[in-house]
Structures are given as C-alpha cells and as structure tokens.
Amino acid sequence: MIEGVGLLPYSERLQILELTTLAERRSRGDLIEVYKASQGLSQLAGVFNFSRSGVNLENGHSVLSFGESYQYIGSKSSDNVPPIPEKLKPVLDRINSLQASLYSARYPGDKSVPIINSCLINKYEGPNSFLPKHSDNEVTIHPESSIFTLSIGQSSDIRFIERHTGSESVLTLPDRSLYHMTRRSQEVFEHLIKKGSIESGVRYSLTFRCVRWTNKNSTCLLGDSNTGLLKFGSDKRGAFGELMPGRKFWAPRIEDLDPVSCMGYANVVLLCGINDIRQPDVKSKSDVASCYDQLKLKIRQIKQLSPSTKAVFVCRLLPTKNDMLNIKVDTFNRLLYFDLIPKSKDVVYVEGFERFACNHVLADELSKQYDRHGRPDILHLNNSGARVLAGLIKRCVFFRLNGGVDRRRHTGKVDGRLYSVQ
C-alpha cells in the first residue's frame, strides 16, 4: 500500500506510480497475445496456421481471410469465409473501440458507428515477399470507416504514393505496431511494400475493415433544407432503408457543397441552388448561369477527388409559391437538363419530378403551408413531399445500379397516389 494517493484523481495516481492507463495495458496485453500466437507460443497459434486449407498465395505473400468476405483485385479468397476466431475477438473489440473514437471525433453524438467485421491476415517471408501497389478503395468498404493494420514480427517499410503528384512517403512498421487509414484517403493515396523491405524472418499483418455488400449502394446526399426530412438508416423512419446506406450533409448554398464529404461513396446526390438564385443580386439569366457554373465546378471537384464514385445524381430545383422566383428556377433547371447532363459523363438527372413538381400539386399537397414562425412557406416540403422525393432518388439510384431495369414497386407513391412518372 502507498499512502496519500487514494484520494487523488486517476491521472495523478498513474503519474505518481508511473503506470499506464488500464485501457493501454489491455491493448498491450492483446498485442502480446497476438505476437505469441504468431510465434506459436499460445493457444492463438491456430489462427496463424498457414499450412491448412483456405490459405491463398497472392502476389508475393500468403493470405488468410476471416469474417465478412472481402473481395478485391487479385483476391483469391472465396465467398465462404470462416468467421473471425473467438481468440481474435478481444483484438477485434479493441479495434472497434478505436473505430468508435475516431468516428465520434468526426461526428459527435452520432451513434451509427461502422462496425469492423473483416480480418485479412497476410504473411510475408523474407526479402522476396512484397505487396503490390494498390488502394483499399473497394466500394464494399464503408466510406466513413477506417482501415486498421496490426504488424507482428519483422519490421517492414510501407510506402504511400499520392496519385496526382507521385510524391512518396515511407512509414516503418515495427513489431507490434498499429496504423490506420481512412477509407477516404484511399481515393488519394496508393500503398505498397517493395521486395527487400523484410530482410529476413517473417512478418504478419492483420488488417481489419468494415465490409458489407450494401456499401455498393452507399450514397452521400448534399442538399438544402428540402433534404431536411430525408433520412438514412435501417429503421422504419429511415427514408432510404438498409439497402441504401449513406449520410446526409447540410449544404444550404452551392458554395457549401463539400467535395471531400463525397469521397469513398458509390453515389452522390445533389439538391442545391434555390438559396443561390433567390438572392437579391441574382436578377438576370446570366446571373442564374453564374450560379449554375458554380455547381458545375463543384461536380468536377467531386469527380476528381472521388474516382470510386460511380455517379453524381443531380435533382432539379423545386418550384416555389413565388412566380418571379419560379422564372429563375426554370432557367436553372433548363441549364441542368440541356447543358450539364449531355456534356458530363456519369452525371445523372433525377427523373420523375414532372408531376411531383407541378405547381398546384406541390403547393396543395406536398409542401408546408407555414414555417415555424407562422409565416407562409414558399419553399419547403412537408413529410409527404419528402417521402416522394426520397422515392424518386431511390428509383434513380437503383435504376442505374440495375443496368436500366426498374425492379422497385410503387415508386413515388404516397397514400396510394402516384406522383412520379415512368
């Protein structure tokens, strides 16, 4: 017993006693167990059994796969992957704890943390082993997740190469080290391990990812207040459902569209511009065209920053209850339809707005009558309008995903009434 420290704060007690935190000691214990397993010194040794069936030889190293099936270019793993071994789950729990901390730092208060569910173990033996240059940019990886790699055994150098400039950075991976990459970073960087990086002996790498097939439909929605009632999620309140995971980003004006937010998403949906053209200094058709040019620039930036994005879906501006503003809305929409779409690859016009955006339907049935201050609302959708908008977006995304075949039923129906057009 050491007198005088019992009533001190935890951090001060650790400092006086020269101890690490309990969490750090647990992490160290997990790493030690994995290291012992890789050396055949514990019950975990069976996890690193590269002599059994299921081992794949790929481009200079051997591979074992556990958990959710992860397919990539050059992969030789089957879809029937064994579950993550019980003996590895304490390590997986620690990795998921790190994932939750990183996610919470980016999105405070958001509980929809991506769960790491896939583990790929690579075995590198001697100087002839290597890892080809690549990016972990498969669309099945959750776009908001991180990729964690735990190194065991001989140290190695991993090289990161920036796609556009070719600049190279080298990171040394010592025994029992952990590094992580965001999924977004894979749009910018490639990485590799050259031959000769491991002079002798064996190195194991355990790479943990959040993988699910529905991430092929991952959608980033950037929009103004008319997207406020749209929701992602698997519960009944989720407007897009579990087959279309994604995230919504607030962008009241075109300048607020953040291309970085789109990185790693398979689909990007934009509904923005009404707050730009309604400004008092936007009066003529050329003024509206300037707003449209800003949108075109943002789309080019999105496509440049996120090569994995399969399509950018653009929604037309909805008509308002103000006739003068509707003239500018029509000018903006004509530029979208007759200039942007024909001249832009993988930019898709969200179809079906014709009846939905009909002035009397929007005013009478699908828009709010008053704002929260009791004043007439000329711009915003009500709950029914938001459901119709969500249906149109889903139809367009899945229509393209299914190669032009519409496999969804009751598209655009609210209370039994069909608002979209076929």
Side-chain angles (χ1 to χ4, degrees):
M1 296 291 291
I2 300 177
E3 297 182 2
V5 299
L7 299 178
L8 294 175
Y10 181 58
S11 59
E12 293 185 19
R13 279 182 279 157
L14 291 176
Q15 188 175 7
I16 292 172
L17 299 175
E18 298 182 352
L19 295 175
T20 58
T21 66
L22 179 60
E24 290 170 336
R25 295 199 296 275
R26 286 173 175 167
S27 295
R28 181 175 181 272
D30 291 339
L31 293 174
I32 290 173
E33 282 302 312
V34 173
Y35 175 76
K36 288 165 62 179
S38 70
Q39 304 302 310
L41 302 175
S42 81
Q43 294 179 348
L44 272 173
V47 174
F48 293 85
N49 182 6
F50 277 77
S51 62
R52 63 177 175 80
S53 61
V55 176
N56 298 287
L57 300 177
E58 297 179 2
N59 295 321
H61 59 282
S62 305
V63 179
L64 279 173
S65 184
F66 299 102
E68 192 74 19
S69 176
Y70 171 55
Q71 300 296 323
Y72 49 92
I73 295 176
S75 169
K76 297 180 181 179
S77 299
S78 70
D79 290 331
N80 298 319
V81 178
I84 293 177
E86 288 293 327
K87 297 169 184 176
L88 263 184
K89 287 187 177 179
V91 179
L92 181 65
D93 290 341
R94 298 302 301 160
I95 295 294
N96 269 310
S97 178
L98 291 172
Q99 169 71 66
S101 297
L102 292 168
Y103 187 83
S104 298
R106 181 173 177 83
Y107 303 114
D110 190 333
K111 303 299 183 183
S112 56
V113 180
I115 303 300
I116 305 297
N117 59 359
S118 174
C119 178
L120 205 67
I121 302 180
N122 293 323
K123 181 181 181 181
Y124 301 87
E125 295 186 82
N128 289 325
S129 61
F130 65 96
L131 180 67
K133 184 171 68 173
H134 71 289
S135 293
D136 289 7
N137 59 354
E138 287 74 24
V139 293
T140 54
I141 301 176
H142 195 294
E144 297 288 350
S145 67
S146 289
I147 301 160
F148 300 86
T149 297
L150 174 63
S151 294
I152 302 293
Q154 294 296 319
S155 65
S156 174
D157 289 339
I158 185 169
R159 300 173 185 271
F160 296 91
I161 301 173
E162 207 274 329
R163 291 176 183 271
H164 297 293
T165 66
S167 61
E168 184 175 306
S169 302
V170 180
L171 177 66
T172 299
L173 307 173
D175 179 28
R176 297 193 295 175
S177 63
L178 179 73
Y179 74 91
H180 81 92
M181 311 176 290
T182 64
R183 169 61 184 83
R184 280 190 174 89
S185 70
Q186 304 307 292
E187 302 296 311
V188 181
F189 293 96
E190 296 177 300
H191 54 279
L192 75 156
I193 296 176
K194 291 184 176 181
K195 285 186 177 182
S197 292
I198 302 173
E199 296 181 358
S200 62
V202 178
R203 171 185 178 257
Y204 295 93
S205 70
L206 288 75
T207 301
F208 299 87
R209 301 175 178 89
C210 175
V211 178
R212 193 162 186 256
W213 70 269
T214 55
N215 291 327
K216 294 189 293 184
N217 309 329
S218 63
T219 301
C220 175
L221 172 62
L222 298 95
D224 54 32
S225 51
N226 270 325
T227 65
L229 295 175
L230 303 184
K231 298 178 181 179
F232 289 96
S234 58
D235 61 15
K236 294 182 179 179
R237 294 177 298 174
F240 294 112
E242 62 179 351
L243 296 184
M244 187 173 160
R247 188 169 189 88
K248 181 174 62 177
F249 295 90
W250 170 242
R253 298 185 62 173
I254 293 172
E255 66 181 7
D256 299 311
L257 297 172
D258 181 13
V260 174
S261 300
C262 307
M263 295 171 68
Y265 281 90
N267 308 296
V268 173
V269 179
L270 305 179
L271 176 54
C272 190
I274 190 67
N275 291 319
D276 295 87
I277 66 171
R278 69 186 293 223
Q279 297 303 308
D281 58 339
V282 178
K283 299 177 181 178
S284 64
K285 288 186 177 180
S286 62
D287 294 333
V288 175
S290 296
C291 298
Y292 162 70
D293 288 339
Q294 293 178 39
L295 181 64
K296 282 203 303 182
L297 176 60
K298 289 289 186 178
I299 292 174
R300 284 199 297 270
Q301 292 172 344
I302 290 169
K303 291 166 67 69
Q304 181 181 15
L305 279 177
S306 186
S308 296
T309 296
K310 295 180 292 186
V312 178
F313 298 87
V314 181
C315 299
R316 61 180 284 179
L317 299 187
L318 298 175
T320 72
K321 300 170 189 173
N322 183 304
D323 292 337
M324 295 301 295
L325 181 54
N326 284 341
I327 295 174
K328 294 189 282 186
V329 168
D330 184 63
T331 301
F332 192 92
N333 287 339
R334 289 177 66 83
L335 288 169
L336 292 179
Y337 193 79
F338 293 106
D339 184 74
L340 178 66
I341 303 304
K343 297 179 181 179
S344 305
K345 182 181 179 182
D346 297 325
V347 178
V348 181
Y349 194 69
V350 177
E351 300 284 355
F353 275 70
E354 286 73 13
R355 287 182 62 191
F356 171 44
C358 210
N359 278 331
H360 71 279
V361 173
L362 192 67
D364 296 341
E365 301 179 34
L366 301 179
S367 65
K368 294 180 179 179
Q369 299 304 307
Y370 302 97
D371 63 18
R372 64 174 183 265
H373 302 294
R375 298 172 300 199
D377 191 326
I378 66 170
L379 293 175
H380 300 114
L381 298 174
N382 59 23
N383 288 325
S384 294
R387 288 165 61 191
V388 173
L389 177 60
L392 294 178
I393 292 173
K394 286 176 70 173
R395 176 187 181 274
C396 192
V397 169
F398 283 103
F399 188 76
R400 181 177 176 84
L401 179 69
N402 293 329
V405 179
D406 188 3
R407 298 175 181 173
R408 300 180 63 249
R409 297 182 178 181
H410 310 302
T411 301
K413 279 192 174 182
V414 174
D415 298 328
R417 295 191 58 185
L418 180 66
Y419 289 96
S420 64
V421 294
Q422 305 297 323

